[in-house]
Amino acid sequence: MSPEQPNHPYAPAQQAPVPLDRMAPLATPAQRFQARLIDTLVLGFIWVVMLAATGALRYGLDHPGEQDTAKVLISAALTFTLYFAYEGAMLANSGQTLGKKALRIRVAKLADGDVPGRQGWVRGAVYALPGIASPVAVGTIFWLVNSVWQLRDRPYRQSLHDKAAKTVVVSALY
């Protein structure tokens, strides 16, 4: 066996990434940021709907300066679960969320440039699910580190959720 092959004889062979000169141009950090802002509006909409659905919004309006912590935490868990479903389904099916469609970029498998399929769900999970653990502490810190990661990553400008899913964000115009 070569050093690149796994020791387990039944393990799938690892595909090498597509060279940069044979893939669509990488999305710029500005395009990715703008697309994420649009998707954050989707997240905000889901958050407001979940606050209303659990009664947390009504409680806050009826009791200014107070909150029903249990309802807020349930709302947060539901919000990030639904956002994971949104992100995972959109990426698995087309490689594009609403934000990515607006910016004409898409997520592609690093190995062959195809639509992510199952890897879209992995990418969505790594991005959205830390918010369930603790939306303020864990989620916020992770998202900041994750967002900045692509600025230093070479050659593919991958964020942590890209690395976990073995994906890359490219122009959708090719």
Side-chain angles (χ1 to χ4, degrees), residues 64-136:
E66 296 179 31
Q67 65 180 2
D68 184 331
T69 305
K71 290 179 179 177
V72 170
L73 291 175
I74 291 168
S75 297
L78 291 171
T79 296
F80 288 108
T81 301
L82 287 172
Y83 188 77
F84 159 66
Y86 157 78
E87 182 112 353
M90 297 285 284
L91 295 179
N93 290 323
S94 68
Q96 293 180 294
T97 59
L98 295 176
K100 285 176 181 52
K101 286 177 189 239
L103 273 289
R104 298 181 179 167
I105 59 177
R106 69 180 183 90
V107 175
K109 288 195 273 185
L110 187 57
D112 59 15
D114 285 345
V115 170
R118 284 185 290 175
Q119 289 167 283
W121 287 101
V122 171
R123 191 177 189 277
V126 173
Y127 183 79
L129 296 182
I132 292 176
S134 176
V136 177

